[in-house]
Amino acid sequence: MSASIAAAKSVNSKPAKAKKQKEPWKVSEIVCMVVTAILFCIVAYPVFYAFLQSFRSYSEITIDPMGMPTHYNLDNYVRLFQETDFLAATMNTVIITVVTLAILCVILPMAAYGVERIGGKLSGFFYLLFIAGLMIPFQVRMIPLVRMFDMMGLYSTLAAVILVHLGGAAGFGILLYCSFIKGVPIEVEEAASIDGAGKLRTFWQVVFPMLLPVTSAFIITNALTFWNDFFIPLVMLDSTSAGTINVAINRMVGLLTSQWELIYTGAIISLIPSIIIFAAFQRYFIKGMAVGAVKG
């Protein structure tokens, strides 16, 4: 009994471990934080300014462009959908983004797999053919594409915008997927072949699940690109169409007068889906890009 009491006293008498003191910031860390804060303010200020202006009337904005809202209500947001084609433009943007991404996610992984695993001697030629598309800007192809779609009866349709987006994103997608597939162990495909799986089944059930990280990065990158695109819908959709979100906002700018209160409101609404998408899938985006860089 006395021995146990003595042992307990000896344990209690041991000095408590000192808490780890937080190291002071280094000069380089302070500089990085200051630069980051400055860059954040530069990027966030236009968004914050547009958000405040979306609550002001046209007269308030023109009289005092840098002023603050006198009251906060959703009148401009209601007017935007009632007095303009913004709702139709939003639906067009959603359709273009979703349909284009769905087609790309079905076709590009299979095309990259064919180039890397099945292409044989022609794989290098097909790979260079896809990569060549990255070197030709849309401005060079613009007039021929407009004439071709007009002859086919597709000009000023959503299909024309989707097809142009498909062609523009194919090169980058093939480059990304091919770099990733090179790092996929071929032994897992051989094991599936031994079990009787064909090429198509092997790809979708064995290879494609391994491509999910790079697929998530590809989806997020292109979703933001298609959603925020302005030039291609402006060229491919004439004034008879509601256009896309950015085209609809651009049409509010006139030679003599502009609907500034609605322009700011439309800009804020167009930002909301982009922020939600990136915030929700940020970790998958960073993981996919990091994995893709390692695989390449």
Side-chain angles (χ1 to χ4, degrees):
M1 185 68 178
S2 59
S4 61
I5 295 175
K9 289 182 178 180
S10 63
V11 170
N12 294 331
S13 63
K14 290 182 179 179
K17 292 184 178 179
K19 294 183 179 179
K20 186 177 181 181
Q21 295 181 353
K22 186 177 181 181
E23 297 181 357
W25 283 15
K26 299 179 181 178
V27 176
S28 59
E29 294 175 344
I30 296 175
V31 172
C32 290
M33 292 300 296
V34 171
V35 173
T36 302
I38 293 174
L39 292 176
F40 173 79
C41 293
I42 293 174
V43 173
Y45 175 75
V47 179
F48 182 68
Y49 173 78
F51 177 73
L52 293 179
Q53 300 307 308
S54 67
F55 295 103
R56 305 180 72 197
S57 64
Y58 174 80
S59 59
E60 290 176 339
I61 294 174
T62 53
I63 293 173
D64 185 12
M66 302 303 295
M68 297 290 290
T70 57
H71 54 275
Y72 295 86
N73 55 56
L74 301 178
D75 291 346
N76 290 336
Y77 291 87
V78 175
R79 288 182 53 216
L80 180 66
F81 290 97
Q82 289 182 347
E83 300 178 9
T84 66
D85 294 331
F86 196 80
L87 179 59
T90 302
M91 294 303 301
N92 289 342
T93 308
V94 172
I95 293 172
I96 290 172
T97 303
V98 172
V99 173
T100 307
L101 286 175
I103 296 175
L104 287 173
C105 290
V106 171
I107 294 178
L108 287 187
M110 289 193 296
Y113 180 73
V115 169
E116 286 297 326
R117 294 288 198 259
I118 310 175
K121 296 181 179 179
L122 293 177
S123 61
F125 171 76
F126 287 125
Y127 182 77
L128 292 177
L129 191 64
F130 278 108
I131 299 303
L134 293 173
M135 305 176 186
I136 305 176
F138 173 73
Q139 289 78 1
V140 176
R141 300 173 282 127
M142 178 176 63
I143 296 178
L145 284 173
V146 170
R147 294 192 61 182
M148 181 186 70
F149 286 131
D150 188 38
M151 293 174 59
M152 298 172 61
L154 294 177
Y155 179 70
S156 192
T157 63
L158 299 184
V161 181
I162 292 173
L163 290 173
V164 174
H165 280 318
L166 289 175
F172 173 72
I174 290 295
L175 175 64
L176 193 63
Y177 276 107
C178 284
S179 300
F180 193 89
I181 291 176
K182 287 179 181 179
V184 175
I186 197 171
E187 289 79 10
V188 295
E189 302 174 37
E190 294 174 349
S193 178
I194 293 174
D195 292 337
K199 291 292 184 182
L200 190 63
R201 184 179 178 184
T202 298
F203 172 77
W204 286 112
Q205 295 187 0
V206 178
V207 178
F208 186 74
M210 300 181 183
L211 304 180
L212 291 180
V214 70
T215 300
S216 62
F218 178 76
I219 289 175
I220 296 171
T221 303
N222 285 277
L224 298 177
T225 300
F226 300 153
W227 183 268
N228 296 316
D229 185 41
F230 169 71
F231 190 63
I232 292 177
L234 179 66
V235 173
M236 292 297 167
L237 301 175
D238 59 20
S239 58
T240 61
S241 172
T244 57
I245 287 179
N246 291 325
V247 174
I249 294 175
N250 178 70
R251 290 174 181 173
M252 300 176 193
V253 180
L255 295 176
L256 301 178
T257 60
S258 300
Q259 298 173 292
W260 292 114
E261 73 281 13
L262 299 185
I263 292 173
Y264 288 123
T265 305
I268 292 300
I269 293 178
S270 67
L271 284 175
I272 293 175
S274 301
I275 296 174
I276 293 175
I277 291 173
F278 192 81
F281 299 98
Q282 179 183 7
R283 58 176 181 173
Y284 301 106
F285 172 77
I286 296 175
K287 179 181 177 181
M289 294 303 293
V291 173
V294 173
K295 293 294 183 182

